[in-house]
Amino acid sequence: MSINIGTITLTHGLMLAPMAGVTDRTFRRLCKRYGAEYLVSEMVSAKALCYEQRGKRKSLSPSGTAPLAAITREETPMAIQLFGSEPKFMAEAAKLLEESSYRGCQSEIPPVAIDINMGCPVRKITGNGEGSALMRNPQLAGEIVHAVSRVVTLPVTVKIRAGWDASSINAPEMAKILEEAGASLICVHARTREQLYAPGADWQVITDTKRAVSIPVVGNGDVNSAEDAIRLFAQTNCDGVMVGRGAMGNPWIFSEIIARLEGKTFAYPSVAERLRVASEHLEQMILHKGERVGLAEAKKHIAWYLTGLHGAASARARIMTAEKQEDVVRVLDQMVIESEEKHPF
Ligand SMILES: Cc1cc2nc3c(=O)[nH]c(=O)nc-3n(C[C@H](O)[C@H](O)[C@H](O)COP(=O)(O)O)c2cc1C
């Protein structure tokens, strides 16, 4: 199962889903190390990126928009995801990203594609006609893709939902419109906006979308193990699989899926290795974002790494109140010692 996006080929079509507040540089690099073949940035506001260019101040705030679009060499191939509802701003932002020469740009390397968000369910976004609100406005959705693909040479990809609600499932029709407008790939999150992130995804809409278009279709929703990925490929005939929450605290899911696809066995890392990577995750986030922000943001990741481990509840409680990196590392080291005492061999 391989997939082509512009000039790049992904052997297995295995992608890390964009997740705002989760899939930052540190997490993306770890997922890539363990097998993710393609990364997507957290969503970036097209309008905010454009307005940032018009500002007069010399230095940009580190919490501005441009840092969200930064790509390091270790992360390629990576797409940047834009959200917005105005074709003019979407096109302008896409061009800036392609040229990678905008004010505040921290990228070492340009993106390999521009992805457009048509799935975000958050009211603040849909209230502006952005994200999944575009599922209710296929004409505007098409105009956005058309405007963006006219100004960039990079492939334009779109991440959509099944539809707005159960009575308006329209991913196959949307995909056709977007393909005609110039999209090179469609990723379908098999839930409606109304469902948010639960209950279970209904993959039938991925099958239907794959039948409707000739560009590659990537399936997304509830891939939490290698078995899920194999089933998704088999049931829907999709060209690629995008993993979201299943990778939280578990970047090894990509190695597991690749092993299964290649008919090889895969052994999950030991508790000690898992916790060593959790410590590394913390260290890298602090290096990237500074101790205060890095520590605060890393805590949720560390908590995910502990899922299913003996003593996780009390360790999590101590980590959540930790004020320094050393305090968290001490908790993780203690867990390693306890796990080795329980399973000395
Ligand atoms: C915390 C969080 C943030 C997300 N942020 C984005 C985003 O920025 N852009 C996007 O297209 N989807 C976003 N999503 C949706 C995911 O990319 C994915 O479609 C969804 O989680 C379903 O996949 P899963 O069942 O594998 O998690 C987000 C999901 C979560 C849980």
Side-chain angles (χ1 to χ4, degrees), residues 17-22 41-44 81 115-121 159 161 189 191 197 201 220-224 242-246 248:
M19 290 185 283
V22 178
S41 71
E42 301 171 77
M43 63 180 190
V44 172
Q81 186 185 65
D115 187 55
I116 299 180
N117 181 319
M118 299 196 185
C120 181
K159 184 156 173 286
R161 279 195 176 238
H189 174 192
R191 285 189 181 86
Y197 295 102
N220 168 243
D222 290 348
V223 174
N224 295 311
M242 190 176 256
V243 181
R245 290 163 295 174
M248 289 172 169

Side-chain angles (χ1 to χ4, degrees), residues 42-269:
E42 301 171 77
M43 63 180 190
V44 172
S45 162
K47 209 168 185 173
L49 187 70
C50 294
Y51 279 151
E52 213 164 70
Q53 304 307 303
R54 302 183 193 10
K56 294 227 165 25
R57 269 190 301 151
K58 256 204 190 124
S59 62
L60 290 175
S61 148
S63 60
T65 302
L68 276 179
I71 307 181
T72 57
R73 280 181 208 290
E74 290 92 331
E75 294 171 275
T76 193
M78 175 170 151
I80 298 187
Q81 186 185 65
L82 286 174
F83 73 93
S85 61
E86 292 166 72
K88 183 172 65 101
F89 282 113
M90 294 294 275
E92 183 181 330
K95 185 88 185 138
L96 290 169
L97 295 172
E98 175 168 271
E99 289 172 353
S100 289
S101 61
Y102 49 94
R103 185 163 173 259
C105 176
Q106 297 169 12
S107 285
E108 294 171 2
I109 193 159
V112 298
I114 302 293
D115 187 55
I116 299 180
N117 181 319
M118 299 196 185
C120 181
V122 175
R123 219 175 279 273
K124 205 171 76 180
I125 303 286
T126 57
N128 291 333
E130 303 166 333
S132 59
L134 289 163
M135 296 301 297
R136 294 212 279 193
N137 197 343
Q139 189 187 332
L140 178 59
E143 285 168 19
I144 289 172
V145 170
H146 182 69
V148 173
S149 38
R150 249 191 30 210
V151 298
V152 295
T153 54
L154 287 173
V156 177
T157 63
V158 191
K159 184 156 173 286
I160 62 176
R161 279 195 176 238
W164 178 260
D165 60 20
S167 65
S168 58
I169 305 278
N170 62 345
E173 295 77 23
M174 271 289 274
K176 261 196 260 181
I177 292 169
L178 302 175
E179 179 180 33
E180 273 166 31
S184 301
L185 176 146
I186 303 287
C187 173
V188 185
H189 174 192
R191 285 189 181 86
T192 62
R193 187 270 171 186
E194 189 181 42
Q195 290 179 297
L196 301 174
Y197 295 102
D202 180 356
W203 293 343
Q204 182 59 41
V205 71
I206 300 172
T207 312
D208 297 342
T209 306
K210 172 67 188 159
R211 286 199 188 116
V213 293
S214 52
I215 51 177
V217 170
V218 173
N220 168 243
D222 290 348
V223 174
N224 295 311
S225 65
E227 280 68 36
D228 293 337
I230 304 289
R231 267 192 313 115
L232 179 56
F233 274 123
Q235 271 182 32
T236 68
N237 197 29
C238 63
D239 303 282
V241 164
M242 190 176 256
V243 181
R245 290 163 295 174
M248 289 172 169
N250 183 19
W252 300 278
I253 190 171
F254 296 102
S255 316
E256 187 200 0
I257 296 172
I258 290 174
R260 277 295 298 272
L261 287 170
E262 294 181 348
K264 296 177 183 156
T265 52
F266 174 74
Y268 255 90

